[in-house]
Amino acid sequence: MMKNILLLVHDDSGQEARLQAALDVTRALSGHLSCVDVALTPAMAEDGFSPALSAVMMDEEIAQEKANRKRIEARLAHEDVLWDCIDASGDPAAALRRGARLCDLIVVNSDLRAFPHPRLSELAGELIVTSGKPVLAVPPDICGLNAFGRAMVAWDGSREAEVALRSAVPLLAHAGGVVLVEVEDGSVKLPAEEAAEYLSRHDIHATVRREPCNGSHAGDILIDRVKADRPDYLVMGGFSRPRFVEALFGGVTRQMFEHSPVPLFLAH
């Protein structure tokens, strides 16, 4: 079951996309939406800026978020979902981890370049690794998520892919179609047919598509497939290598954060 959806609320350019996707998923699952409105510590304060000025900036941030929460709550009052909203301040990842203890899915944004505040730019990746919960990472320019549309699953037979697939079953059960995409790069230990068989026991009937490698990077192939097929969302394992390795040398997860035009359902 996936009933408790946790949403980051903050007055930034990605908020509307997060909110719309979270509402769509909550409705589809007949769930409950829990909002955490986080007032962020000013980036300058974290760099040893003037304590007095930092305090003034923090007060302004808190006031801005109080107004933001009022606007969001006024909108939620007219939505057909159950919801609650709490305030938090400081580190958004820590605030969401606290809220995630009894949640089933965390909704944040995916594009790491979209936010100037360092605490937001790395949020999705940090939560995937540290929260123990699946994360729905939403591009900042989408208008919602069709939970009853087509789902794509990136399958490489890894432990992370297994965890993501199992975690996504309640959402995949509502999809109008599911395709498992496997890149033939010689690294897959567990074939996609076994993943399809697993899903079939949940009454989810997926098709398998294999993509030839031809010397290309798996991330490039997956991006091309997503852009060509435009599924409503993509399920994949997050950070199959240590995050610092992906940060230094790149990786499929980071590529998808930066270039996927569709929401990403990730687990680690």
Side-chain angles (χ1 to χ4, degrees):
M1 298 291 288
M2 186 184 294
K3 291 289 186 180
N4 299 284
I5 314 303
L6 185 68
L7 171 67
L8 168 67
V9 171
H10 182 266
D11 190 8
D12 57 66
S13 61
Q15 177 171 253
E16 185 63 22
R18 293 194 302 272
L19 176 61
Q20 292 300 329
L23 285 170
D24 288 341
V25 170
T26 305
R27 287 192 197 96
L29 299 173
S30 300
H32 183 101
L33 180 62
S34 294
C35 304
V36 181
D37 191 333
V38 183
L40 299 175
T41 303
M44 290 181 179
E46 297 182 352
D47 294 333
F49 206 63
S50 165
L53 185 54
S54 296
V56 170
M57 294 172 67
M58 189 66 198
D59 287 343
E60 291 177 351
E61 169 76 0
I62 291 172
Q64 179 176 312
E65 284 311 311
K66 283 184 178 179
N68 184 54
R69 174 175 171 173
K70 286 183 180 179
R71 292 192 298 269
I72 295 297
E73 288 181 334
R75 292 179 59 182
L76 291 173
H78 297 285
E79 298 287 350
D80 54 343
V81 299
L82 298 173
W83 61 274
D84 64 84
C85 193
I86 63 170
D87 290 327
S89 61
D91 180 4
L96 288 171
R97 281 196 299 269
R98 287 193 296 271
R101 294 180 65 182
L102 290 175
C103 90
D104 302 309
L105 179 67
I106 306 171
V107 182
V108 292
N109 284 103
S110 58
D111 189 345
L112 303 182
R113 302 164 300 175
F115 307 106
H117 197 292
R119 293 291 190 184
L120 288 180
S121 66
E122 296 292 337
L123 184 59
E126 184 170 350
L127 289 171
I128 291 166
V129 175
T130 64
S131 71
K133 302 296 171 68
V135 170
L136 184 66
V138 180
D141 56 352
I142 69 162
C143 299
L145 187 153
N146 181 8
F148 303 97
R150 296 176 300 115
M152 181 180 289
V153 179
W155 183 256
D156 63 2
S158 67
R159 171 67 175 168
E160 290 75 19
E162 293 175 31
V163 172
L165 184 71
R166 290 197 303 269
S167 299
V169 162
L171 191 57
L172 291 172
H174 291 80
V178 178
V179 58
L180 289 147
V181 176
E182 181 183 294
V183 177
E184 295 181 308
D185 61 358
S187 66
V188 178
K189 300 295 191 295
L190 190 67
E193 283 78 9
E194 294 195 31
E197 186 175 353
Y198 168 82
L199 289 177
S200 71
R201 297 184 185 123
H202 291 276
D203 202 27
I204 301 168
H205 303 289
T207 59
V208 173
R209 169 180 284 164
R210 284 192 169 83
E211 294 290 332
C213 186
N214 297 328
S216 299
H217 189 276
D220 294 330
I221 295 170
L222 189 56
I223 287 287
D224 288 345
R225 190 73 269 150
V226 168
K227 288 181 176 179
D229 292 358
R230 295 299 293 223
D232 291 282
Y233 61 94
L234 174 72
V235 175
M236 62 179 289
F239 295 111
S240 58
R241 300 182 298 176
R243 285 186 66 207
F244 76 89
V245 175
E246 291 225 2
L248 288 173
F249 303 107
V252 175
T253 308
R254 189 162 292 273
Q255 267 188 286
M256 299 308 293
F257 276 159
E258 295 179 355
H259 300 296
S260 174
V262 303
L264 306 171
F265 183 104
L266 303 111
H268 179 72

